[in-house]
Amino acid sequence: MRTLEGKVVVLGAQGVGKTSMIVRYVGKPFNPHINPTIGASFFTCKLNLENAGVVLQVWDTAGQERFRSMAPMYYRNANAAMLVFDLTQYNTFTAMKRWVSELHKHIEESIVLVVIGNKSDLREKRQVDAEEGRIYATDIGATYHETSVPQGEGIENVFLAIGIGLLRLSSTEHDSTSIKVYESMNSSWSDVDMSLTPSHEESPQNLSIAHGIQEKPHTCC
């Protein structure tokens, strides 16, 4: 089976729900009291798509301004970016746009972009209209998604869009992309250890790194 491996960076202001979204995706229940990310957290996600396996090396970056200067070490050589904002806080939508400018400034090769408006369940507090989000996403060549972590809505579609985007990018720009492509003798991920128990490592910068791994099939809803 053909297998792709791509680096995904998650960017957005503090408190928009970046970590909660990923934790929910890898199978954990919703926790409204997740601590702010320090430096970055790392997760590996695996998807089976279109007769190909996709491995997503996901770097969840800290949203606090004091960690912003460290972001380039995480989005360097990224193949995809999750750009997350809070639908109930317009200023986080504006802040998300600044990350797009920074990515275009520092990443030369093509990159899969997904714009994500989180907290869609808080309808009465919404400050960003869905149409405005879609128009902006279209302008930068991204797909647009709205998600709710407590309700588990829209999250799997985000990762599905990233996997499909990486497949298309590797097919159209295989000579100019850093996406890793290799052939595997396995027809599925059944031989891979799919432990969901997080472990902790220390990065060279002494940052706390959380690592989890999960497989998602093509039948994401």
Side-chain angles (χ1 to χ4, degrees):
M1 181 176 68
R2 181 170 176 248
T3 304
L4 308 180
E5 183 178 311
K7 179 179 179 180
V8 184
V9 63
V10 188
L11 301 168
Q14 181 183 4
V16 298
K18 300 186 299 297
T19 303
S20 295
M21 188 184 309
I22 299 170
V23 168
R24 186 66 188 267
Y25 179 74
V26 300
K28 300 296 183 182
F30 171 61
N31 179 3
H33 305 297
I34 290 180
N35 292 326
T37 301
I38 305 299
S41 296
F42 174 74
F43 298 85
T44 298
C45 303
K46 298 177 181 241
L47 303 88
N48 286 322
L49 302 173
E50 302 175 7
N51 298 317
V54 180
V55 181
L56 304 180
Q57 306 287 359
V58 182
W59 288 91
D60 172 26
T61 65
Q64 295 164 284
E65 191 64 30
R66 64 193 177 103
F67 293 116
R68 189 179 181 92
S69 63
M70 303 169 67
M73 76 173 72
Y74 300 115
Y75 64 64
R76 186 178 298 118
N77 300 320
N79 306 114
M82 295 170 57
L83 304 157
V84 189
F85 68 95
D86 181 344
L87 287 164
T88 72
Q89 300 288 336
Y90 196 91
N91 63 313
T92 65
F93 183 57
T94 302
M96 180 268 295
K97 294 179 180 180
R98 293 197 293 270
W99 282 116
V100 176
S101 299
E102 191 163 333
L103 287 174
H104 286 315
K105 189 182 303 181
H106 294 96
I107 296 180
E108 297 182 356
E109 67 179 60
S110 297
I111 184 171
V112 176
L113 299 176
V114 291
V115 174
I116 305 155
N118 192 33
K119 306 186 184 182
S120 61
D121 54 294
L122 303 178
R123 295 175 181 83
E124 68 284 356
K125 296 182 179 180
R126 177 188 281 263
Q127 294 183 4
V128 183
D129 184 73
E131 186 63 17
E132 182 176 6
R134 275 192 286 269
I135 290 173
Y136 176 73
T138 299
D139 286 345
I140 65 170
T143 57
Y144 179 70
H145 308 266
E146 292 192 354
T147 58
S148 167
V149 175
Q151 297 179 357
E153 295 178 351
I155 299 173
E156 291 195 353
N157 285 339
V158 168
F159 287 84
L160 180 62
I162 293 172
I164 292 174
L166 291 176
L167 279 172
R168 291 173 178 168
L169 191 60
S170 67
S171 298
T172 58
E173 301 190 29
H174 56 274
D175 292 328
S176 58
T177 178
S178 60
I179 298 173
K180 297 177 182 178
V181 182
Y182 50 93
E183 297 295 328
S184 171
M185 297 299 293
N186 297 325
S187 59
S188 70
W189 301 107
S190 58
D191 296 329
V192 181
D193 178 14
M194 302 304 292
S195 172
L196 286 174
T197 304
S199 61
H200 297 278
E201 305 170 2
E202 289 295 318
S203 74
Q205 294 78 28
N206 292 321
L207 303 178
S208 176
I209 302 294
H211 179 269
I213 187 168
Q214 172 68 323
E215 173 187 0
K216 291 289 178 178
H218 178 64
T219 52
C220 295
C221 58

